[in-house]
Amino acid sequence: MVVLREGMCPGLDEDLVRDLRNADIKTVEDLVSSDTEKLAQKCSVSYKALLAIRRVLLAQHTAFPVSGADLYEELLSSTAILSSGNPSLDKLLDSGFYTGELTELSGGPGSGKSQVCFAASVHISHHLKQSVVFVDTTGGLTAGRLLQMLEAETGSREEQMEALQRIHVFRLFDVFSLLDCLYGLRAGILQQASVGGGGGSVKAVIVDSVSAVIAPVLGGKQNEGMSLMTQVGGVLKTIAKDFNIAALVTNHVTRSLSGEVQPGLGMSWSHVPRTRILLERVEAASAGCSSLRSATLIKSSRQPCNIRVEFDLQRWSRSKRGSEEMRTPEEMDSA
Amino acid sequence: ERGRETVRCDCVTGEGSWRSLTSSSLSPQLFARLEARRCLKDIEPRLFPAHGGPEHGDVVELHGPEGTGKTELLYHLLCRCVMPTAAGGLEVEVIFVDTDYSLDMLRLVSILDRRLTHSSGAASAAAPELALRSCLSRLLVVHCSSSSQLVLTLHLLETSFLSRPGLALLLIDSISAFYWLDRSEGGGSTTKQEEKLSKCSLLLARLLRDYRITVFATCHAIRRNFAGLPASSDFARPHLCRSWQRLVKHRLLCSREQTVDSMSDSVKGDKGERRRQVFGVQYTSPSLPSQRSSSFYVSDGGVQSEF
């Protein structure tokens, strides 16, 4: 809803705005929806002028229809696939996180959600030399852990510091700050080609975890929480699409009535992520804590669902070093 | 007083000239829109009861929770419409209103690509890229991010309806995208909460009457199907406003059915035996008693009929 103001478009002056208001036309919507012919008579303004104003307002406040062919062309040149650094996870994701899409990792406590996020951001900043925005809503991110992961990748202190510099951390603990941060990113930082001194544009936005700030506002018979959740989903998707960024969020899990483990945040959120992965612990035969985790693809538009892979959190980086290939964001092929 | 008089004069002449202008330039288009607009009755006969496909100006709602194949079904219909008649398509233009930012162009292109190569064989394989481009050029995509923007977008699209007689299908994915935003903005009164979607529906009703375009819209279920009850139960109850419900002529309830173990010989044996997810679609109509159930599965080439 946009309120009509003078100077919004040529021809819309103070007098006309007042006349329109007297005719009960207060917003752009009202003006566009009303019968231009009758309105012109009512406000004693020329029909042509009012029609021109209507046309300009429409163009200003709607997105222009784009031809599918152009959209595809643009996508071919702009889409990148960011490898997560882990071959088995990449297999699940059809070679990595796609820019322009929202991917969700869900899992119970200790299922490795955050570790996957850390490892992915380290990989993207160190190997792909791209910047990462890491929104930490649980206080679980420590620079020490990131450094530890980097040390496994490279011995050079300089390279480690460079990589750390490319990871931009935002720490916030409620949904309003999250929205504030994301809208801020959309309006400011992401508009510039690169952030900070580290070089490389922002290619990934990670929110760990999104459910930690959304779940507390849900529940009861109120709509506001649902609305906030829709807004978080909306802004993440627009950021991903408009700036060609891979968005990654983490979510908790609940059990359905039949006892099945499923991602949290309910039905309305389930439509938001393009790809969903469920992480679980693999119970080892020997006692003690195992670093083995399994990942199951539960929603995807590219791969058949329910593919399951296992990986070792401890050998995240080493398994990569074994296979010599250095993944870079590949250009999409048309196949 | 005098100034007012001239303004009014201007207004009247302006109007007059507009009238004469439009009546001369509009009539061919008027003719086109009444005669040539393609009817989509046979868009997918397997989904609708016999001779019960969507007529000119009908609204079809695809209703279901996440992961029940709504989007795949939409892509299937989209492909069928934009593909050339030689390849078994309808060769009409389509507008896709993307309210969820959910259009996966890569997926759409891969489905389209497969179907084109499948239908053409080796004969016209020389220019597959060209055929793909020409299909995609029949598609218009528009994004919107709030329900007030949706109203404005529909107003904007009226010019497209007017100028493109080849346009026959409008897809909205999804119509329920702003449900919670509107609920929250509307405060305590239900009328206020539903005001915006009502406005959209009324406008859409007028556009459909005037331009006779067929609409397919997806609607996300907001309740979980707890007991695994059939689609007629509570979870499928429409939750959008009354004016939208009045608009809907056909409803397709999407659901997930049991996974079927497919034998390697029935599929084109890529990895031998694999469990296959089957999706069910149940047709109901608010005005007619006719029903129909069908099922499909999803492969790399998009929706495939189960039977």
Side-chain angles (χ1 to χ4, degrees):
Chain A
M1 195 175 71
V2 186
V3 178
L4 286 171
R5 278 169 288 114
E6 56 170 302
M8 272 174 101
C9 75
L12 194 63
D13 55 20
E14 202 185 332
D15 291 346
L16 183 55
V17 170
R18 199 191 50 236
D19 284 349
L20 286 170
R21 201 158 288 168
N22 290 338
D24 211 24
I25 303 292
K26 293 182 187 116
T27 63
V28 173
E29 239 176 290
D30 292 341
L31 180 80
V32 168
S33 309
S34 61
D35 184 340
T36 314
E37 208 173 319
K38 279 194 191 127
L39 195 62
Q41 277 173 6
K42 227 180 191 174
C43 302
S44 15
V45 61
S46 99
Y47 175 79
K48 268 187 193 166
L50 200 59
L51 203 64
I53 289 174
R54 181 181 187 272
R55 203 175 301 137
V56 172
L57 287 177
L58 259 184
Q60 278 175 351
H61 293 93
T62 53
F64 197 74
V66 190
S67 147
D70 296 344
L71 207 62
Y72 177 54
E73 204 74 50
E74 195 193 310
L75 211 61
L76 280 189
S77 59
S78 64
T79 303
I81 307 171
L82 308 174
S83 162
S84 67
N86 184 307
S88 3
L89 206 59
D90 280 353
K91 202 177 90 195
L92 212 63
L93 291 164
D94 196 12
S95 67
F97 303 111
Y98 282 57
T99 60
E101 294 186 1
L102 180 63
T103 309
E104 180 194 86
L105 298 169
S106 56
S111 58
K113 304 183 294 288
S114 298
Q115 296 301 324
V116 171
C117 288
F118 298 160
S121 47
V122 162
H123 185 83
I124 292 166
S125 75
H126 176 63
H127 285 284
L128 310 181
K129 308 269 180 270
Q130 305 291 336
S131 294
V132 177
V133 169
F134 199 111
V135 182
D136 177 23
T137 67
T138 58
L141 177 79
T142 56
R145 177 68 184 130
L146 292 181
L147 186 63
Q148 201 179 12
M149 286 176 150
L150 275 166
E151 278 165 351
E153 300 283 328
T154 171
S156 150
R157 201 70 177 163
E158 203 176 313
E159 276 184 37
Q160 289 167 7
M161 288 305 128
E162 241 174 58
L164 283 182
Q165 215 131 61
R166 275 191 287 264
I167 302 176
H168 305 269
V169 180
F170 292 84
R171 236 185 212 126
L172 35 93
F173 301 100
D174 63 80
V175 68
F176 301 103
S177 327
L178 176 63
L179 280 172
D180 203 28
C181 169
L182 293 174
Y183 284 125
L185 284 174
R186 191 170 72 173
I189 304 173
L190 296 176
Q191 300 279 13
Q192 302 151 16
S194 76
V195 192
S201 56
V202 175
K203 276 283 164 229
V205 171
I206 299 173
V207 183
D208 178 35
S209 91
V210 79
S211 60
V213 291
I214 292 178
V217 297
L218 298 179
K221 282 209 161 192
Q222 44 100 16
N223 303 321
E224 207 187 340
M226 298 301 278
S227 163
L228 289 167
M229 183 171 79
T230 315
Q231 286 175 50
V232 170
V235 67
L236 278 169
K237 279 184 175 181
T238 45
I239 283 180
K241 264 253 157 67
D242 295 348
F243 301 105
N244 282 305
I245 280 174
L248 176 65
V249 300
T250 61
N251 192 355
H252 67 286
V253 287
T254 55
R255 274 183 199 281
S256 66
L257 281 186
S258 52
E260 224 178 308
V261 174
Q262 58 187 19
L265 298 181
M267 296 280 278
S268 298
W269 178 264
S270 68
H271 299 284
V272 175
R274 176 77 57 84
T275 307
R276 308 186 97 177
I277 287 177
L278 183 68
L279 294 174
E280 277 163 315
R281 242 171 219 281
V282 176
E283 296 304 332
S286 58
C289 263
S290 158
S291 58
L292 265 188
R293 299 288 185 273
S294 77
T296 316
L297 189 67
I298 49 177
K299 175 177 180 175
S300 170
S301 59
R302 278 183 292 274
Q303 303 245 69
C305 286
N306 296 320
I307 308 181
R308 184 168 179 273
V309 294
E310 284 188 10
F311 59 90
D312 193 342
L313 278 177
Q314 279 184 339
R315 275 200 229 118
W316 186 275
S317 42
R318 255 168 272 165
S319 56
K320 227 222 98 259
R321 206 183 281 167
S323 59
E324 277 297 305
E325 50 177 336
M326 266 272 280
R327 277 171 194 272
T328 48
E330 317 160 331
E331 292 285 292
M332 286 300 305
D333 53 349
S334 56
Chain B
E1 197 59 44
R2 206 181 166 79
R4 248 219 171 147
E5 207 59 42
T6 46
V7 169
R8 196 159 291 158
C9 257
D10 177 23
C11 163
V12 168
T13 49
E15 204 175 289
S17 62
W18 174 75
R19 281 252 161 83
S20 60
L21 186 108
T22 43
S23 61
S24 61
S25 67
L26 220 98
S27 46
Q29 284 170 355
L30 187 73
F31 179 74
R33 85 179 194 220
L34 290 180
E35 295 300 319
R37 190 87 71 188
R38 181 77 154 78
C39 181
L40 299 180
K41 219 174 155 65
D42 51 351
I43 185 166
E44 182 47 271
R46 284 168 292 190
L47 287 177
F48 298 93
H51 313 295
E55 301 272 358
H56 278 298
D58 277 6
V59 175
V60 186
E61 185 185 276
L62 295 151
H63 186 105
E66 180 260 319
T68 51
K70 293 188 300 298
T71 308
E72 281 292 328
L73 212 50
L74 219 53
Y75 291 168
H76 171 71
L77 299 169
L78 209 169
C79 288
R80 167 114 166 104
C81 283
V82 298
M83 273 170 54
T85 32
L90 297 172
E91 211 171 325
V92 293
E93 289 173 22
V94 179
I95 291 184
F96 192 105
V97 180
D98 191 3
T99 58
D100 274 337
Y101 278 76
S102 63
L103 176 64
D104 188 351
M105 207 61 189
L106 298 175
R107 174 68 185 150
L108 180 65
V109 166
S110 78
I111 297 173
L112 209 50
D113 201 35
R114 284 210 168 221
R115 297 199 172 178
L116 283 172
T117 41
H118 185 73
S119 64
S120 66
S124 62
E129 196 70 357
L130 219 65
L132 186 70
R133 292 279 138 103
S134 89
C135 284
L136 286 177
S137 65
R138 278 182 215 111
L139 169 68
L140 274 183
V141 181
V142 58
H143 290 285
C144 46
S145 52
S146 70
S147 48
S148 24
Q149 209 184 26
L150 183 60
V151 178
L152 296 177
T153 304
L154 287 174
H155 276 293
L156 181 78
L157 289 180
E158 186 171 358
T159 49
S160 306
F161 294 158
L162 199 65
S163 59
R164 292 165 170 255
L167 191 86
L169 179 65
L170 176 70
L171 300 171
I172 304 175
D173 190 22
S174 68
I175 192 72
S176 60
F178 311 121
Y179 178 75
W180 290 111
L181 295 179
D182 290 348
R183 285 287 295 268
S184 164
E185 259 174 50
S189 106
T190 319
T191 338
K192 258 259 155 56
Q193 292 174 359
E194 294 184 337
E195 190 186 3
K196 284 176 186 160
L197 190 61
S198 290
K199 247 187 215 169
C200 278
S201 310
L202 294 177
L203 173 62
L204 198 59
R206 180 179 71 74
L207 291 176
L208 295 182
R209 201 180 53 232
D210 288 359
Y211 302 100
R212 318 205 319 149
I213 286 176
T214 306
V215 176
F216 278 77
T218 60
C219 175
H220 300 322
I222 55 162
R223 288 184 194 82
R224 235 179 248 285
N225 185 7
F226 274 121
L229 294 168
S232 55
S233 62
D234 188 51
F235 98 99
R237 208 174 55 203
H239 58 273
L240 296 179
C241 70
R242 287 286 275 285
S243 28
W244 170 256
Q245 297 309 333
R246 266 198 289 274
L247 214 54
V248 174
K249 290 265 170 57
H250 314 267
R251 286 186 100 206
L252 297 169
L253 296 173
C254 303
S255 60
R256 223 186 252 244
E257 287 180 1
Q258 249 76 46
T259 48
V260 177
D261 291 323
S262 60
M263 291 298 139
S264 47
D265 51 81
S266 65
V267 206
K268 276 167 255 154
D270 43 338
K271 270 176 197 164
E273 228 167 297
R274 185 196 276 166
R275 266 151 53 91
R276 192 163 70 181
Q277 179 66 54
V278 176
F279 300 97
V281 184
Q282 194 185 18
Y283 172 90
T284 57
S285 164
S287 50
L288 300 163
S290 49
Q291 286 211 347
R292 177 172 182 156
S293 295
S294 47
S295 49
F296 62 89
Y297 67 93
V298 175
S299 74
D300 288 350
V303 166
Q304 310 281 333
S305 180
E306 176 66 5
F307 301 113

